[in-house]
């Protein structure tokens, strides 16, 4: 029963609609009525800018870490690694579900990537850092947060299954499920990427301006 209660609490933590509350409190708008219509960090980057997008992303990551770490309240799991990992996966998934379907925001949330990362960070920090590296590299090269999220989630499955070779069956299944979940929740983004209509986040503007100037100079 204690585990069930913690899972409910994890869902409620994940349900905190950071992007919605920020957009309403500081801009008087509902972020879900603009951009892609999602209440996540990516859409916040597009609509409200890098500062608020970074803030929302950080809080959403913290939600995942906090919810997944609720196992610390039950002493039994401090010394039982296998059971602890399984419970952490359950807690983290509850938080991600809360982010996607938040009870505090009419069950209309974001895609859960930042909260999912917080979950991975709590379970296996080294793998999380590797995934961040993939995310940042793709983001630097393309400025597409959606593509960065998709490739980082696929990389997570590769790291768990083939590089770190996790032994827990549930953890291996979870890694595959993460990649499939992120791909599934980004179907519209994938369509826009294929059509060439996906929006880029407003970062690295100076790099883009330099490239534009170089192209113009060559054209002259």
């Amino acid at each position: 029963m204690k585990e069930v209660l913690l899972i409910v609490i994890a869902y409620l933590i994940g349900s905190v609609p950071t992007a919605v509350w920020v957009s309403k409190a500081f801009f008087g708008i509902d972020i879900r009525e603009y951009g892609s219509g999602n209440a996540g960090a990516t859409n916040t980057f597009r609509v409200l800018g890098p500062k608020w997008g970074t803030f929302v992303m950080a809080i959403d990551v913290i939600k995942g870490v906090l919810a997944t770490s609720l196992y610390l309240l039950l002493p039994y799991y401090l010394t039982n690694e296998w059971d602890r990992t399984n419970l952490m996966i359950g807690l983290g998934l509850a938080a991600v579900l809360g982010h996607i379907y938040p009870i505090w925001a009419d069950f209309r949330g974001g895609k859960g990537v930042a909260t999912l990362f917080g979950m991975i960070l709590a379970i296996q920090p080294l793998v999380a850092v590797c995934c961040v590296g993939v995310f940042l590299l793709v983001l630097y090269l393309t400025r597409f947060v959606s593509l960065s999220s998709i490739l980082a989630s696929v990389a997570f499955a590769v790291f768990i299954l083939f590089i770190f070779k996790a032994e827990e069956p549930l953890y291996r299944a979870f890694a595959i499920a993460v990649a499939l979940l992120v791909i599934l929740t980004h179907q519209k983004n994938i369509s826009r990427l294929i059509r060439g209509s996906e929006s880029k986040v407003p970062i690295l503007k100076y790099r883009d301006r330099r490239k534009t100037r170089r192209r113009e100079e060559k054209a002259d």
Side-chain angles (χ1 to χ4, degrees):
M1 286 300 295
K2 293 180 180 179
E3 288 83 355
V4 173
L5 177 60
L6 289 185
I7 287 175
V8 172
I9 294 173
Y11 167 79
L12 295 176
I13 292 173
S15 287
V16 173
T18 315
V20 175
W21 287 356
V22 164
S23 64
K24 288 184 176 181
F26 295 98
F27 297 88
I29 65 171
D30 187 333
I31 192 73
R32 295 170 296 182
E33 297 176 358
Y34 297 83
S36 65
N38 288 308
T42 302
N43 200 35
T44 306
F45 266 104
R46 293 195 189 103
V47 178
L48 304 183
K51 182 178 74 172
W52 290 106
T54 301
F55 176 78
V56 168
M57 179 179 290
I59 298 300
D60 287 347
V61 170
I62 291 172
K63 291 193 310 186
V65 173
L66 181 60
T68 306
S69 300
L70 288 173
Y71 78 91
L72 293 169
L73 297 175
L74 300 180
Y76 166 79
Y77 293 96
L78 299 178
T79 56
N80 293 271
E81 184 176 357
W82 189 289
D83 291 339
R84 179 171 69 245
T85 300
N86 291 339
L87 178 59
M88 291 176 78
I89 291 173
L91 293 169
L93 288 178
V96 173
L97 184 66
H99 181 86
I100 298 173
Y101 302 107
I103 192 173
W104 315 119
D106 303 320
F107 301 99
R108 293 172 52 216
K111 294 174 181 176
V113 175
T115 304
L116 184 62
F117 171 71
M119 169 187 177
I120 297 169
L121 186 62
I123 297 175
Q124 200 162 9
L126 182 57
V127 175
V129 170
C130 292
C131 291
V132 168
V134 173
F135 179 90
L136 292 177
L137 177 61
V138 177
L139 184 63
Y140 176 79
L141 295 174
T142 68
R143 286 201 290 121
F144 291 126
V145 174
S146 57
L147 182 60
S148 303
S149 300
I150 292 168
L151 293 183
S153 68
V154 172
F156 171 65
V158 173
F159 288 138
I160 293 300
L161 297 176
F162 302 109
I163 298 178
F164 292 91
K165 297 181 179 179
E167 297 181 358
E168 297 94 331
L170 181 59
Y171 197 19
R172 294 170 66 86
F174 164 69
I176 297 173
V178 164
L180 294 177
L181 175 65
V182 174
I183 292 173
L184 181 64
T185 56
H186 284 76
Q187 285 183 326
K188 292 182 180 179
N189 302 87
I190 292 172
S191 297
R192 289 195 293 268
L193 286 167
I194 293 173
R195 295 195 307 267
S197 59
E198 177 73 334
S199 300
K200 295 182 178 181
V201 293
I203 60 175
L204 303 175
K205 290 182 178 180
Y206 296 109
R207 184 197 68 177
D208 294 340
R209 288 171 184 168
R210 286 197 300 269
K211 288 183 177 180
T212 301
R213 284 198 298 268
R214 287 174 188 155
R215 285 196 296 266
E216 292 175 349
E217 289 171 358
K218 289 180 180 179
D220 293 338

